Amino acid sequence: MAKGKSNSKNAKAKRARINGGAIVRSLVGEGVEAAWRIGTVVLVLTLVVAWIAGRSSLQEAAARGQALAPVFVFTPPDGVDAQSAGVPAEVVASLEQLVLAGWSTDPFDREALKAARAVLLGSGWITSIEQVRRHPDGRLEVECSWRTPRAEVHPRRGTPVLVGDDAAPMRVPSDLSAGGLVKILDPLEGAPMDEQGRIAYGRPWGLSDVADAIALLNLLADRDLERTYIASISVRDPERMVITTTNGARIVWGGPVDARRPGEASVQERLGLLSSTLRDPSMNRSGPTIDITTGRATRDVRPSP
């Protein structure tokens, strides 16, 4: 009997130890889980507080004017900066003002960056934008390629329009003159328009006559003839472009440089004849129109365009 009672007590003690161990393990497990939950909550709260603090500091910087008046940095991926592209400082300043007019004080506002891109491309002075970045120190970096001013187009109706080498219009600030550039006169069409009936700056001219005149200008520039002698090119008749010199002489060149018409001399022949004509004071003067299309300088008896 004594031995039976002893075994029973031992069994109860063993079960107690097992149950006690299970309870301890359970309590420890619950403690670890609770501690993990508390740690997670603390971590999340810490991150939220840090994010709010960082956002607040950026917003405070914006309130101090950092985001309202960013320092513009135009980075040319092609290595041609604004000055090298012939972009006046007044134009760069006007572009900055256009961007600032729609700028956001919220440093997290990505729509402001998209709007800046649209405004700059819509000016016609920039051909492409690789990216627009806002830096924490207030710099607004625009990685872009500039459009070089090439000529001033005078449509048959409407106001003169500045164009680049690709015949795309460029917006000129009201306080800036496009003087000094060769004029392209009387294209068959006016400037390209957008859906609202406004000039579509940055969109090339619809017909090829303006581009043909620019191609002729580039050819004359290669011979050092443009800057000294050329005042304008009329494309009223695109197959019979007429050059007016700075001395008032009118010289019929002919059609586009890349499309030789029957009866026309070669481009090189006409270039040589034009060069000698421009340098001859007896011919480079106001008077009857001179026709060089056939390779000989003759007086043109047809009515001037």
Side-chain angles (χ1 to χ4, degrees):
M1 287 295 293
K3 186 177 181 180
K5 288 181 179 181
S6 175
N7 289 338
S8 176
K9 288 180 180 180
N10 290 337
K12 288 181 180 180
K14 185 177 181 180
R15 285 196 300 269
R17 286 195 302 270
I18 293 174
N19 292 336
I23 292 172
V24 169
R25 287 194 298 273
S26 176
L27 290 174
V28 171
E30 289 177 1
V32 170
E33 183 178 356
W36 183 85
R37 289 176 179 173
I38 293 172
T40 301
V41 171
V42 171
L43 177 60
V44 171
L45 288 175
T46 302
L47 292 174
V48 170
V49 169
W51 181 83
I52 293 174
R55 183 182 179 93
S56 298
S57 63
L58 286 172
Q59 288 175 330
E60 287 173 5
R64 290 194 302 268
Q66 194 175 36
L68 284 174
V71 177
F72 286 79
V73 180
F74 291 101
T75 306
D78 52 7
V80 180
D81 59 16
Q83 184 177 4
S84 301
V87 180
E90 295 87 345
V91 169
V92 177
S94 72
L95 294 180
E96 294 177 356
Q97 292 303 314
L98 285 173
V99 171
L100 288 176
W103 195 242
S104 169
T105 60
D106 183 358
F108 295 94
D109 184 4
R110 298 191 62 82
E111 293 302 318
L113 300 180
K114 294 179 182 178
R117 177 189 292 268
V119 165
L120 293 172
L121 288 175
S123 70
W125 286 90
I126 291 176
T127 60
S128 62
I129 296 179
E130 297 295 326
Q131 57 183 335
V132 181
R133 291 193 296 266
R134 190 198 320 244
H135 293 272
D137 60 2
R139 288 178 300 127
L140 179 65
E141 184 178 3
V142 181
E143 188 175 352
C144 62
S145 297
W146 294 95
R147 178 174 280 112
T148 301
R150 191 64 188 89
E152 187 179 62
V153 179
H154 289 243
R156 300 179 188 186
R157 291 181 297 275
T159 58
V161 181
L162 179 68
V163 296
D165 206 45
D166 58 353
M170 306 159 71
R171 185 193 302 273
V172 179
S174 57
D175 58 346
L176 186 67
S177 171
L181 294 174
V182 172
K183 297 177 175 58
I184 298 175
L185 308 177
D186 302 324
L188 295 178
E189 285 187 354
M193 297 290 177
D194 61 16
E195 293 74 13
Q196 286 74 41
R198 299 170 299 193
I199 294 177
Y201 295 104
R203 182 189 302 173
W205 218 270
L207 297 179
S208 65
D209 48 3
V210 173
D212 291 339
I214 291 174
L216 176 55
L217 274 180
N218 291 339
L219 196 64
L220 300 180
D222 291 341
R223 291 293 188 96
D224 295 325
L225 299 176
E226 175 195 357
R227 185 177 298 276
T228 305
Y229 299 106
I230 310 302
S232 67
I233 297 178
S234 172
V235 292
R236 179 174 287 272
D237 180 352
E239 300 300 321
R240 187 171 174 265
M241 292 187 285
V242 178
I243 298 170
T244 299
T245 72
T246 52
N247 287 345
R250 292 171 54 83
I251 303 172
V252 180
W253 166 266
V257 298
D258 60 351
R260 186 176 175 181
R261 297 184 307 161
E264 278 189 347
S266 69
V267 169
Q268 294 304 317
E269 287 179 294
R270 281 180 284 166
L271 274 176
L273 182 55
L274 177 62
S275 178
S276 61
T277 300
L278 292 174
R279 292 182 169 92
D280 184 347
S282 66
M283 301 188 73
N284 185 7
R285 59 183 178 83
S286 180
T289 300
I290 302 170
D291 192 331
I292 64 170
T293 55
T294 62
R296 297 177 57 193
T298 59
R299 302 294 181 182
D300 184 26
V301 297
R302 286 179 290 182
S304 299

